[in-house]
Each structure stands twice: as structure tokens, then as C-alpha cells.
Amino acid sequence: VSEYSPRAYRQLLAALKDRETHFAGFGGESMTPTSVYLRHDVDFSLEFAVALAEINHDEGVSATFFVLLRSHAYNLASPRSGELLERLNALGQRLGFHYSHGRLADEDESLGRRVADDFGITADLVPALEPVWCVHTPSPTLLQRCLELQVPGLTNAHSAAFLRDVPYYSDANMRYSVPTWLSIASNLDGPAQLLFHPVYWIAAQPGVLANLAVAAASASREALREMELNYHWHARFNGSVPIAVSRLADSLSAEAQTRGDG
Ligand SMILES: [Zn+2]
């Protein structure tokens, strides 16, 4: 298996289980040499998150899924999202808060208060939310600030203890090949944090842009569920996905390839 895929992800979990990994939550318990903090940032789709959680559950593995409050791709407050969050919980997974800074200036002094305020709103929407957070697509400056940022009552998965003082490996930009990931997983010799974005392993396309194309098509399909409430839409499509939307991933992917994949 050389490409990111559900099967490759399962192999990675198997490699971690071979070394008697303890799949730890970020809060509460103390770190041990076998602690692995398995983290999933839900950047685009709760459906992809559930698909990855089903693999974790099959393998007896528990991870923390960090969900966005200020996302335009999924709405944490919708009944549909509520069902998917409950499903993540039922699959034995933990839920954390993925803080999105939007266009906030890196030097904003009220960063800690913003994180706390947004966490409070998210906790109202997601009863199972654990008091743990990390930041979404930080600039290098913001990432540096988050390493030191203490928000009262919340564990910071982006703090030095989880990011600098222990090995930290992320699949951002699909930077590691699957063989490299398998070697990383097999050779851990102490606690570590591993970040896997559901989109890369579930969309399972070769290359970042092709995966994002599938995510964009999936977000469009999800948004169309709202149209089903409209009489005219329902009368014509009756629950089926319009052909134009079914083709969206292919056509986006083709367009992405003509622009050069990354
Ligand atoms: Zn993110």
C-alpha cells in the first residue's frame, strides 16, 4: 500500500498497536512512554470524520476529533451534524475544539479570551466536548504564540508539552509517504502526538488538491440537504443528488490537475 487510503490507515494503526500503544486523551491522565495522542482535525467534513472513526472503532482505537465552530463547510449547530457528532461519540472517540482564528491578527492580545469564548459556544452545541483545544491553519507567528498560550480550564493540544517536548508528526500537505508513516509508527520509542486529517485517508486521492476536490464535492452534497426542504427542489430531485453535483469532484479534480497537483 503506497497511497493514503482507509486500508493504509488501518495498517498504520496496526503498526502502532504492535508496540502496545496507549491511545491517550489530551486531558487528565499523565503521560507514559507508550502514550500516543492520536489527533484528527475535522477541517471539511463530519462525514469523513465518522468514516475514519469507524476504522478506529474496528481496531479498538480511540482518538480525539477536533471540530470547528466557525466553519462554512459544516454547521455544528445543524441537526444533521448533531447526529454525526453523536455517532463519533458512540464509536468511542473523543471530541475536542478546533479554534479557527479567521482573519484575526496574529498579535491580537485577546486570543486567549477568544478561544475561551468560542469553546463555551461549542460546548453548548456539543455536550460531549472535552476541555481541550488546538488551532486551525495557524500562521507561523500564531503557532508560536499557541505553544505558550494558557487558557484557564482548557488543555492546549498545541502547547509545548504535546508539540515540542514530544515527537509530533502531521500529515499536513501529505508530507510523508505511507512507507515513511509505517516506519514512524513502528519506531516510536516514547510518547508522541500524531495528526491525521480524515480528508486525506478517506477521500484517498493521489495528491492534496484531488483530495480537496472530493472534500469540496462532499461539502456541496451536504449543503444540498437544505434544498430538500424546498417543495420545488424536492418535487424534481426527490432525494437524489443532481448529476451536476455528482460530477463535481471529477471536474474539480481535472481542473486542479491542469493547475498542477501538490
Ligand atoms: Zn484544521
Side-chain angles (χ1 to χ4, degrees):
V1 176
S2 59
E3 303 283 0
Y4 285 28
S5 67
R7 191 162 150 248
Y9 178 71
R10 212 180 270 273
Q11 287 189 344
L12 260 170
L13 293 185
L16 289 169
K17 282 162 42 176
D18 280 349
R19 65 175 281 276
E20 312 271 299
T21 293
H22 171 60
F23 292 93
F26 286 89
E29 55 198 311
S30 52
M31 204 179 275
T32 74
T34 60
S35 298
V36 164
Y37 300 89
L38 191 57
R39 171 178 145 208
H40 303 304
D41 290 358
V42 184
D43 285 350
F44 302 110
S45 162
L46 283 168
E47 292 215 317
F48 291 177
V50 166
L52 203 69
E54 277 166 356
I55 300 174
N56 287 349
H57 180 257
D58 278 356
E59 298 294 328
V61 166
S62 184
T64 308
F65 287 77
F66 288 81
V67 295
L68 288 163
L69 171 65
R70 298 186 188 276
S71 166
H72 208 80
Y74 61 89
N75 172 13
L76 222 45
S78 80
R80 162 84 180 153
S81 292
E83 286 168 15
L84 295 171
L85 290 163
E86 275 174 26
R87 179 85 183 124
L88 287 175
N89 208 17
L91 289 166
Q93 308 301 304
R94 304 178 177 96
L95 295 170
F97 170 52
H98 203 28
Y99 174 70
S100 176
H101 57 99
R103 297 187 186 281
L104 177 67
D106 288 344
E107 61 276 11
D108 188 320
E109 284 178 9
S110 53
L111 178 62
R113 204 184 63 230
R114 286 174 189 274
V115 171
D117 288 351
D118 276 9
F119 177 85
I121 298 168
T122 309
D124 281 347
L125 296 171
V126 184
L129 194 69
E130 297 194 359
V132 52
W133 71 283
C134 63
V135 63
H136 175 56
T137 58
S139 65
T141 315
L142 188 61
L143 184 59
Q144 197 55 41
R145 285 190 66 195
C146 286
L147 277 171
E148 308 299 337
L149 188 67
Q150 303 282 353
V151 183
L154 300 184
T155 299
N156 180 356
H158 254 123
S159 63
F162 292 110
L163 211 79
R164 197 179 57 197
D165 303 349
V166 300
Y168 166 67
Y169 298 99
S170 155
D171 64 357
N173 304 311
M174 299 173 73
R175 71 182 68 161
Y176 302 122
S177 68
V178 170
T180 302
W181 268 120
L182 287 169
S183 150
I184 289 169
S186 307
N187 290 303
L188 293 176
D189 62 355
Q193 176 175 179
L194 305 180
L195 167 58
F196 299 109
H197 292 82
V199 58
Y200 296 140
W201 302 89
I202 298 303
Q205 302 295 306
V208 171
L209 285 177
N211 279 316
L212 294 184
V214 173
S218 166
S220 305
R221 265 199 310 276
E222 282 292 297
L224 286 181
R225 289 171 179 271
E226 193 66 22
M227 302 297 166
E228 281 297 315
L229 298 177
N230 177 278
Y231 168 80
H232 299 278
W233 187 280
H234 187 78
R236 277 152 192 86
F237 291 110
N238 194 22
S240 66
V241 176
I243 291 163
V245 176
S246 299
R247 288 179 181 153
L248 187 58
D250 287 343
S251 104
L252 280 172
S253 182
E255 185 172 341
Q257 269 165 35
T258 66
R259 288 166 188 266
D261 204 350

